[in-house]
């Protein structure tokens, strides 16, 4: 099932070229704040949406006409893995000891989440490069702590495309990755039953028509069960939590006017516009032409 959030907090199921609007059938109030409806939809999936007779609902709209919003705008957390592909480590000149398996993970603020129809808004930081990172989002479906690798797939709800956007430099990583719209996720969540083999998911990223990144989850340093085991060794994972896998090699700058396209096999595809003039000046990011990169 492909579950989409659209047009001001509505929830839908993608059927071919259309979205079947299940907002009313699930009793969701799209205007409720905080916007936790999708967290509840995920937590109650087996009992509610999975068994809903979506075919009997005639509230459909064309997918192409919908404003696609980030699927889970208010998760408990967004966990992100750095340096999780060896070739990305090489391009960043990371020391051999600096990999996700020895460094662990970081967090991105939930306020950085945006959707497929939202532009990436670049802050005005003269002299600084802002890069794209092509990642897969793993969406948690079942609460758990100290989850074994063997049990990890039981805790996954589904997958989505994720762009981890970052101001390159040596300042605190979380701040460099925290601007609003620096975590586009979408275009919807594809439930795990539609992914034949999560150990071998191919993904690609283009900027305009240039293929920049091309990878497969089989090349991850810490694989998907390993990420869930590591994160849950520290924290309870809740339905709706998002794990960003880490990027493969091929990262590079984006500028206003670019279109970033990400496509993940069996998961989905989205194209996100890049716009400028986002403000956001802070003396922390004054042009330092830093030599240390991450
Ligand atoms: Mn990343």
């Amino acid at each position: 099932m492909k579950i989409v959030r659209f047009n001001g907090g509505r929830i839908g199921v993608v059927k071919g070229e259309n979205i079947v609007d299940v907002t009313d059938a699930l009793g969701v109030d799209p205007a409720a704040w905080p916007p936790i409806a999708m967290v509840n939809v995920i937590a109650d999936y087996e009992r509610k949406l999975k068994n809903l007779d979506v075919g009997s609902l005639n509230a459909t709209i064309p997918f192409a006409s919908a404003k696609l919003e980030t699927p889970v705008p208010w998760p408990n957390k967004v966990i992100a893995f750095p340096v999780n592909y060896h070739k990305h480590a090489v391009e960043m000149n990371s020391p051999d000891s600096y990999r996700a398996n020895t460094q662990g993970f970081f967090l991105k603020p939930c306020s950085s989440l945006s959707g497929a129809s939202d532009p990436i808004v670049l802050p005005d930081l003269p002299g600084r490069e802002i890069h794209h990172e092509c990642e897969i989002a793993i969406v948690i479906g079942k609460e758990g702590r100290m989850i074994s690798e063997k049990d990890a797939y039981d805790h996954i709800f589904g997958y989505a495309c994720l762009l981890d956007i970052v101001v390159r430099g040596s300042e605190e990583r979380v701040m460099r990755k925290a601007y609003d719209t620096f975590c586009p996720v979408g275009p919807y969540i594809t439930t795990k039953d539609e992914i034949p083999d999560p150990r071998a998911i191919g993904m690609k990223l283009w900027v305009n028509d240039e293929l920049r990144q091309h990878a497969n989850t089989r090349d991850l340093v810490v694989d998907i069960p390993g990420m869930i085991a590591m994160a849950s060794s520290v924290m309870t994972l809740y339905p709706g939590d998002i794990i960003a896998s880490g990027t493969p090699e091929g990262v590079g700058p984006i500028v206003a006017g670019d279109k970033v396209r990400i496509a993940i096999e069996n998961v989905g595809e989205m194209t996100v516009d890049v716009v400028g003039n986002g403000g956001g000046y802070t003396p922390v990011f004054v042009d330092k032409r830093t030599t240390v990169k991450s």
Side-chain angles (χ1 to χ4, degrees):
M1 190 181 290
K2 299 184 190 311
I3 307 167
V4 64
R5 191 169 158 274
F6 69 104
N7 291 5
R10 306 195 72 80
I11 307 284
V13 174
V14 179
K15 291 284 180 196
E17 301 295 306
N18 292 306
I19 295 172
V20 181
D21 190 331
V22 297
T23 309
D24 296 337
L26 292 177
V28 165
D29 173 7
W33 195 91
I36 55 168
M38 188 66 94
V39 171
N40 287 320
V41 168
I42 292 169
D44 290 340
Y45 176 72
E46 297 288 334
R47 202 165 56 86
K48 290 188 176 170
L49 183 53
K50 190 178 179 185
N51 297 313
L52 189 68
D53 185 5
V54 173
S56 71
L57 302 174
N58 39 29
T60 64
I61 70 158
F63 182 81
S65 73
K67 181 185 184 296
L68 304 176
E69 294 159 352
T70 202
V72 192
W74 205 268
N76 186 259
K77 52 195 161 295
V78 178
I79 300 159
F81 281 80
V83 201
N84 206 8
Y85 285 88
H86 289 293
K87 288 181 184 168
H88 176 57
V90 171
E91 75 176 347
M92 301 307 288
N93 298 316
S94 298
D96 288 345
S97 60
Y98 198 91
R99 299 287 187 279
N101 59 324
T102 54
Q103 293 300 310
F105 54 82
F106 62 98
L107 299 174
K108 276 176 82 86
C110 301
S111 51
S112 66
L113 290 162
S114 58
S117 297
D118 302 317
I120 297 166
V121 181
L122 300 181
D124 296 323
L125 304 177
R128 302 300 297 263
E129 287 191 0
I130 298 171
H131 282 200
H132 58 81
E133 299 189 344
C134 168
E135 311 199 8
I136 186 167
I138 301 144
V139 182
I140 296 298
K142 188 170 105 180
E143 181 177 330
R145 175 85 204 281
M146 294 184 248
I147 301 164
S148 68
E149 293 194 18
K150 178 173 66 65
D151 294 336
Y153 286 117
D154 293 341
H155 289 262
I156 295 176
F157 180 71
Y159 302 89
C161 302
L162 185 147
L163 300 169
D164 181 14
I165 308 299
V166 55
V167 179
R168 287 289 173 219
S170 58
E171 300 87 353
E172 174 60 49
R173 185 200 312 264
V174 168
M175 183 167 171
R176 289 185 291 104
K177 288 175 175 263
Y179 278 97
D180 285 2
T181 75
F182 270 26
C183 197
V185 174
Y188 36 66
I189 300 170
T190 298
T191 52
K192 63 181 175 183
D193 55 292
E194 297 195 10
I195 309 304
D197 184 1
R199 295 163 300 182
I201 303 173
M203 63 193 81
K204 290 181 180 173
L205 179 142
W206 298 259
V207 175
N208 305 318
D209 290 325
E210 180 193 352
L211 180 64
R212 294 253 186 109
Q213 299 191 267
H214 184 191
N216 192 292
T217 56
R218 77 169 78 87
D219 297 320
L220 284 164
V221 176
V222 178
D223 64 8
I224 291 171
M227 288 188 249
I228 290 172
M230 188 196 296
S232 71
S233 69
V234 178
M235 308 179 287
T236 301
L237 302 186
Y238 294 102
D241 280 0
I242 294 169
I243 299 178
S245 62
T247 187
E249 69 279 12
V251 300
I254 49 175
V255 297
D258 283 344
K259 288 182 181 298
V260 182
R261 178 179 161 214
I262 178 173
I264 304 185
E265 214 177 0
N266 298 308
V267 170
E269 174 176 342
M270 62 180 183
T271 301
V272 178
D273 292 330
V274 181
V275 302
N277 301 318
Y281 169 80
T282 157
V284 171
F285 291 144
V286 70
D287 182 1
K288 295 196 269 278
R289 307 278 173 184
T290 46
T291 53
V292 179
K293 298 197 299 180
S294 72

